[in-house]
Amino acid sequence: MSLLFSDIEGSTGLLSRLGPMYADALDGQRRILRQVWAEHGGVELGTEGDSFYVVFATAPDAVAAAVRAQRELARFDWPAGERVRVRIGIHTGNPTPHDGAYVGMDVHRAARIAGAAHGGQVVVSAATAELVAGALPAGARLRDLGSHQLKDIAQPERLFQAEVEGLVSEFAPLRTLGTSSSLPRPATPLVGRDGELAELTALLESPQVRLVTLTGPGGSGKTRLAVAVAQGSVPRFPDGVFFVPLAAVTTTDVMWTSIAEVLDVPPEGRIPPGFFDHVAHRTALFVLDNLEQIHGADTVVAELLDHAPQVVVIATSRRPVNLPGELQHPVPPLELPSNPTLADVQQAGAVQMFVQHARAVKPTFALTTANAAEVAQLCARLDGLPLAIELAAARTKLLSPAALVNRLDKALDIPATGSRGPSRQKTLRDTIAWSYNLLEPTQQAFFRPLGIFAGGADLDAVAAVSAHVLGDADPLDLIADLVDASLVTVGEDASGEPRVGMLETIRTYARDELLQAGEFDEAARAHAEHFLGVVEELRTQTFSGPIDHELAARGRFEAEHDNVRAVLDWALGPDDSTPPEPSRVHVGLALCANIAYLWRSSGYLAEARRRLERAIKVAGHEDNDLLGQCLEALSTVAWNQADHDRARMAATQAVATFRRLGDKGRLSGALATLAAARFALGDRESARRSLEEASKLAHDVDDPELIADVLSEMAVFEAREGNLERSFELDTTVLGIYQQRGDERSVLAQRHSMACTLREMGRVQDAVHQLRELVPDVLRMAHPVALVEVAEDYAAALAEMGHDRVCARLIGAADAMRERNGTPRPAPQEAEIAGPLTRVRTALGPDTWQREYQHGRNVTVESALTSANAETDWSP
């Protein structure tokens, strides 16, 4: 006996649209169906409104009637152009006759099957499908829809769709338990995840992929992304897509029952082995949300996959499940703006999310040119974390983006504005604490000192601040635990070695925990001592010979610059409110003294001056070697900035300090620095006396490198005094010393000095040739001061060779770079190139000069130098 149930889908909506004409539509539907039932031997047992309950003697008769009914309904001319969509369900069994009808589970099963269908769809049970195989009407076929859990029926039912040629055959998933309708319905569209969504959806199409784990820190959007992926994958899983929230679960028994409850499994079958009877034959997708706190979750997932070979699992967790075949997908923060312009800010996923949530609480909110920079800064400070952005955006009802930025020091404690959502995500601090509290005590003790780092750390640095926790253990083992907990990341530094990183929000949490545990001072001192050692090593490496050594040192300096800054803030203090301890001041002076050259060669002149001024101020007047070195370094920085008065003052103090200390070598260098400042201020006689004393002291200590440095300064001085032959003679001597020592950086500087002297001597072709050969090495060294000075001197030499346009471009590029770096052209340099530039301006005329000069300003110095070599292809 085959039982058929049917009704009109959306009959209430149809009635509201048709009004009085609905009666005509209902009459047409009844007339068509009753005629079809009768033609195929159907017996009508019940009719109520638009529904039918019909029995057929055979399964082929029932299916043929259903196919014919859908064809007739599709071709009928319905009132007002509407279309009446009828859903039909069929099941074949042995119902019990009762009072002229039938009762029993087979009747309920047929009714549930019809209720799961959509308008225009014919769905049949596995029993019916088996009986009609080979006996289907022409133009019809069966599609396997997989196993489905029907309401109030314990065992899952395998269902099939009767597809009819010429009619609609694609429908939404059946309305059975555990299908896509059980997925959470997000309040807002997913933003900023298009690439990941496409990647993960494509990944699930591979039959080899059974387990994908979305990992990441709390608030990174793992659940939201998993739901979106599951929603897009519904058509691939005919037995349903099941979302299982597990955040409140801590044991495997409860995990099993939580999954079973979502599947509507009867109580007696909710734990293994009985549970497996309900999933073994399913082709389904399970989204298991929040596994990190469940000890043994990996065992549950493994058994589920083993006993249900067609099941696929998407897990969300702050740590991987660590099963064979698992594909881990770290969920990164949302994309941040690369530039503060409105167009760039609008494209960033983090900003799109902020705007979305801001408009939810303040519909008039708009991203504008006026607030784009603040919104971009806000999203960056929140690390692009969706939860943090959502919490902050909720405050736009009361605060502007600028006001929110001013309150970012309390970002971890911004509360959610509503009562919805898990308690662990009421604030960002709660979210991070959830992960932290899952760590073992040793892991927590290892995690806290990592908050002291700024900009990441290599393994040596991590070991230095965590030595009290590590003992003889390998830091990589504990780092791996924190990576699994999504509290840190591990990348590679320039040498391919591991580098530990941390989101700023998580770092803030770690620092707070460090302070609360009373461990901050110990960690900060260990951090400072380690990076002082790093800086001292970099200074030695910088002056050890080949340019590649300096480049490597500068690269390492860039990587650790934020850590150096953090140490200096700790050592020297941000202001005068609380004088720093003497031991801290010593660290600050040592750092500044050792890092000064790298600051200058890496283009951080303004920061170098600010830090050096601060170090000198807090050091007071007590004589010590480090203070003298900082004073001398400050003089050089001020000279680079054309602040010659400050340069002379600092150098004078450095000289006095080293005299009192009796350090002849340091005194010699400081006197040479003082001579440069005095000469720039026009005090030539004092400059000469300083250089002569510096030379004598250098010879007294018999230091070849120091002798060469002083003689190099004397060569520049003689050239500026017009003693060109003497200058060139000194240059030649100094070049030989540097070459013998293998000091490539100083060789390059000396060759530059000699080229300038050659031009002054009238040997312009030799000067141009020398400068042309210098360009590739200067570009490779990328020292900001050297780049701009070579560009200017090359421009002057080319001007005397008649390359006026090239000269104008080089000067334009050099001037633009000086403005960007805050380094006005020093008076001696201005005097050296003034003559050739005046001639070129006159020769080109104001309009052409301005056009070529502006062309140079619009390109980099590096590009201008490269073009100059290409456009003036000449050899002597």
Side-chain angles (χ1 to χ4, degrees):
M1 184 72 65
S2 292
L3 304 99
L4 179 152
F5 284 85
S6 75
D7 67 355
I8 296 175
E9 182 181 52
S11 56
T12 302
L14 186 64
L15 171 61
S16 67
R17 293 193 301 273
L18 289 178
M21 290 187 290
Y22 178 74
D24 295 334
L26 185 59
D27 288 343
Q29 181 249 9
R30 288 178 174 176
R31 186 168 58 253
I32 290 171
L33 295 184
R34 281 180 170 147
Q35 181 178 345
V36 170
W37 307 152
E39 290 176 354
H40 291 82
V43 178
E44 185 179 327
L45 295 184
T47 302
E48 184 178 344
D50 56 78
S51 66
F52 281 93
Y53 167 27
V54 188
V55 296
F56 295 84
T58 68
D61 286 340
V63 173
V67 169
R68 173 71 182 280
Q70 294 293 12
R71 283 174 170 160
E72 294 299 325
L73 291 167
R75 66 168 59 104
F76 188 78
D77 186 14
W78 301 99
E82 284 284 354
R83 182 183 173 191
V84 174
R85 294 175 172 84
V86 174
R87 55 185 178 180
I88 301 174
I90 304 171
H91 171 61
T92 304
N94 297 298
T96 302
H98 177 74
D99 196 19
Y102 295 93
V103 296
M105 288 304 299
D106 287 328
V107 178
H108 287 283
R109 195 180 302 273
R112 295 299 191 208
I113 292 171
H118 298 277
Q121 188 177 30
V122 177
V123 179
V124 306
S125 68
T128 301
E130 184 178 352
L131 293 170
V132 299
L136 286 167
R141 66 185 183 89
L142 293 181
R143 178 198 288 185
D144 188 347
L145 299 179
S147 297
H148 290 257
Q149 191 72 52
L150 301 173
K151 187 177 180 182
D152 299 326
I153 297 176
Q155 298 299 320
E157 180 69 39
R158 199 164 193 83
L159 300 178
F160 296 79
Q161 174 183 319
E163 295 186 347
V164 183
E165 185 178 344
L167 300 184
V168 175
S169 60
E170 296 297 331
F171 298 93
L174 296 179
R175 298 183 178 95
T176 53
L177 298 177
T179 57
S180 60
S181 60
S182 72
L183 288 171
R185 295 188 177 276
T188 56
L190 183 68
V191 296
R193 300 291 192 193
D194 292 349
E196 290 172 277
L197 186 58
E199 177 186 345
L200 288 166
T201 302
L203 196 62
L204 291 186
E205 293 178 358
S206 170
Q208 285 76 39
V209 174
R210 302 283 314 284
L211 171 61
V212 178
T213 305
L214 306 188
T215 62
S220 60
K222 300 182 294 295
T223 299
R224 184 68 179 83
L225 179 58
V227 169
V229 173
Q231 186 71 55
S233 303
V234 164
R236 282 204 56 246
F237 297 96
D239 294 336
V241 175
F242 303 85
F243 180 82
V244 186
L246 298 168
V249 176
T250 57
T251 67
T252 55
D253 285 347
V254 178
M255 183 175 175
W256 280 120
T257 57
S258 298
I259 299 171
E261 286 170 3
V262 171
L263 296 177
D264 204 27
V265 174
E268 63 273 15
R270 289 184 174 177
I271 60 173
F275 171 81
F276 297 132
D277 295 337
H278 297 272
V279 296
H281 302 294
R282 290 180 183 267
T283 301
L285 174 65
F286 288 76
V287 179
L288 305 181
D289 188 47
N290 281 104
L291 299 185
E292 63 268 5
Q293 77 287 352
I294 306 174
H295 295 288
D298 55 337
T299 302
V300 175
V301 175
E303 292 184 12
L304 176 61
L305 295 175
D306 286 344
H307 288 85
Q310 301 305 315
V311 160
V312 175
V313 170
I314 298 177
T316 73
S317 177
R318 303 187 192 189
R319 61 176 72 244
V321 181
N322 288 323
L323 287 176
E326 176 187 24
L327 292 180
Q328 298 177 25
H329 181 90
V331 177
L334 291 169
E335 179 190 10
L336 296 169
S338 55
N339 293 296
T341 61
L342 180 60
D344 287 325
V345 171
Q346 286 173 327
Q347 298 302 312
V351 172
Q352 291 172 10
M353 184 177 185
F354 179 87
V355 173
Q356 181 187 82
H357 285 278
R359 286 176 177 166
V361 298
K362 187 176 182 180
T364 58
F365 180 83
L367 190 69
T368 66
T369 303
N371 65 18
E374 284 81 8
V375 172
Q377 182 182 358
L378 184 71
C379 291
R381 292 277 298 278
L382 295 174
D383 294 316
L385 281 175
L387 175 62
I389 291 170
E390 180 180 348
L391 295 175
R395 298 297 163 191
T396 54
K397 190 173 184 178
L398 301 172
L399 300 170
S400 69
L404 279 169
V405 169
N406 292 335
R407 289 163 172 78
L408 276 180
D409 59 328
K410 300 178 181 178
L412 286 182
D413 299 307
I414 297 175
T417 54
S419 59
R420 296 181 62 189
S423 60
R424 71 184 188 280
Q425 292 190 346
K426 290 304 181 185
T427 69
L428 192 55
R429 185 182 300 280
D430 293 333
T431 300
I432 301 170
W434 170 266
S435 292
Y436 176 74
N437 291 332
L438 291 174
L439 299 175
E440 298 293 334
T442 299
Q443 295 168 337
Q444 291 179 342
F446 179 74
F447 167 74
R448 291 191 295 268
L450 299 184
I452 208 73
F453 292 110
D458 59 22
L459 295 184
D460 288 342
V462 169
V465 301
S466 305
H468 63 293
V469 179
L470 285 170
D472 296 329
D474 187 340
L476 267 178
D477 294 335
L478 285 171
I479 288 169
D481 293 335
L482 298 183
V483 170
D484 282 349
S486 297
L487 288 170
V488 303
T489 60
V490 175
E492 290 185 358
D493 62 19
S495 64
E497 287 296 307
R499 187 169 182 84
V500 179
M502 188 180 282
L503 293 177
E504 187 60 27
T505 45
I506 295 177
R507 175 177 175 256
T508 299
Y509 180 89
R511 286 173 65 89
D512 289 349
E513 289 296 313
L514 193 65
L515 284 163
Q516 188 172 347
E519 301 166 349
F520 184 85
D521 287 342
E522 180 184 357
R525 189 166 297 279
H527 178 254
E529 290 173 355
H530 173 78
F531 281 102
L532 176 56
V534 168
V535 165
E536 289 171 344
E537 179 185 336
L538 291 181
R539 179 175 186 172
T540 300
Q541 181 179 349
T542 299
F543 298 108
S544 64
I547 291 176
D548 287 344
H549 287 194
E550 176 175 333
L551 295 177
R554 280 158 55 184
R556 176 81 188 281
F557 164 68
E558 289 285 0
E560 303 297 1
H561 198 178
D562 285 339
N563 278 309
V564 170
R565 288 167 171 149
V567 173
L568 286 171
D569 289 341
W570 170 82
L572 303 177
D575 51 47
D576 295 326
S577 57
T578 304
E581 298 174 6
S583 62
R584 291 192 186 186
V585 174
H586 176 84
V587 172
L589 284 170
L591 267 177
C592 288
N594 282 281
I595 211 75
Y597 174 78
L598 286 172
W599 266 327
R600 291 190 292 114
S601 63
S602 299
Y604 296 100
L605 283 171
E607 181 172 0
R609 179 160 180 175
R610 176 171 59 84
R611 297 286 191 182
L612 287 164
E613 295 273 20
R614 176 66 182 166
I616 292 164
K617 181 176 182 180
V618 299
H621 302 293
E622 182 180 351
D623 289 334
N624 66 69
D625 180 74
L626 292 173
L627 175 60
Q629 291 182 59
C630 287
L631 286 164
E632 184 180 352
L634 175 61
S635 176
T636 302
V637 170
W639 194 93
N640 288 146
Q641 295 176 319
D643 186 352
H644 303 305
D645 283 323
R646 184 66 180 113
R648 179 177 58 182
M649 186 184 304
T652 300
Q653 290 176 289
V655 166
T657 298
F658 291 130
R659 280 195 197 282
R660 288 191 292 270
L661 292 172
D663 188 334
K664 291 185 176 182
R666 296 282 188 199
L667 177 57
S668 174
L671 284 165
T673 302
L674 176 60
R678 283 174 166 172
F679 185 89
L681 290 168
D683 190 353
R684 298 184 175 186
E685 288 304 316
S686 293
R688 181 179 289 279
R689 287 197 301 271
S690 294
L691 281 173
E692 288 172 348
E693 183 182 0
S695 177
K696 180 181 182 302
L697 289 168
H699 283 86
D700 286 347
V701 297
D702 195 23
D703 183 338
E705 183 176 356
L706 183 57
I707 292 170
D709 290 344
V710 174
L711 290 179
S712 178
E713 290 293 334
M714 292 185 70
V716 172
F717 177 82
E718 295 292 359
R720 288 171 176 165
E721 286 286 82
N723 303 321
L724 300 178
E725 294 295 338
R726 174 59 179 161
S727 174
F728 196 75
E729 180 183 336
L730 288 170
D731 277 333
T732 304
T733 300
V734 172
L735 180 63
I737 296 173
Y738 288 146
Q739 288 174 331
Q740 186 176 2
R741 295 179 60 83
D743 185 349
E744 290 186 2
R745 178 182 59 85
S746 297
V747 166
L748 190 60
Q750 204 58 35
R751 288 169 59 202
H752 176 199
S753 178
M754 293 175 74
C756 295
T757 304
L758 286 170
R759 181 180 68 82
E760 293 286 341
M761 294 171 69
R763 297 170 56 181
V764 179
Q765 289 185 347
D766 291 339
V768 169
H769 179 68
Q770 182 106 303
L771 288 163
R772 281 180 58 81
E773 290 187 335
L774 279 177
V775 166
D777 288 333
V778 171
L779 292 175
R780 183 164 68 95
M781 192 172 73
H783 190 309
V785 174
L787 276 169
V788 75
E789 289 185 352
V790 167
E792 292 166 348
D793 292 326
Y794 197 10
L798 288 173
E800 297 194 12
M801 292 286 294
H803 296 291
D804 296 349
R805 294 175 186 269
V806 178
C807 167
R809 293 174 196 165
L810 281 169
I811 293 299
D815 283 355
M817 185 174 184
R818 284 192 178 279
E819 289 174 17
R820 289 193 300 271
N821 293 344
T823 55
R825 190 174 295 122
Q829 176 74 350
E830 182 71 44
E832 285 187 12
I833 65 174
L837 295 192
T838 299
R839 190 201 63 75
V840 169
R841 286 191 186 93
T842 302
L844 290 177
D847 292 341
T848 303
W849 164 266
Q850 187 59 37
R851 183 173 60 252
E852 298 297 336
Y853 176 80
Q854 190 60 46
H855 174 84
R857 290 185 63 88
N858 293 336
V859 302
T860 64
V861 165
E862 293 88 342
S863 176
L865 283 168
T866 301
S867 296
N869 267 12
E871 293 178 39
T872 58
D873 190 8
W874 169 89
S875 58

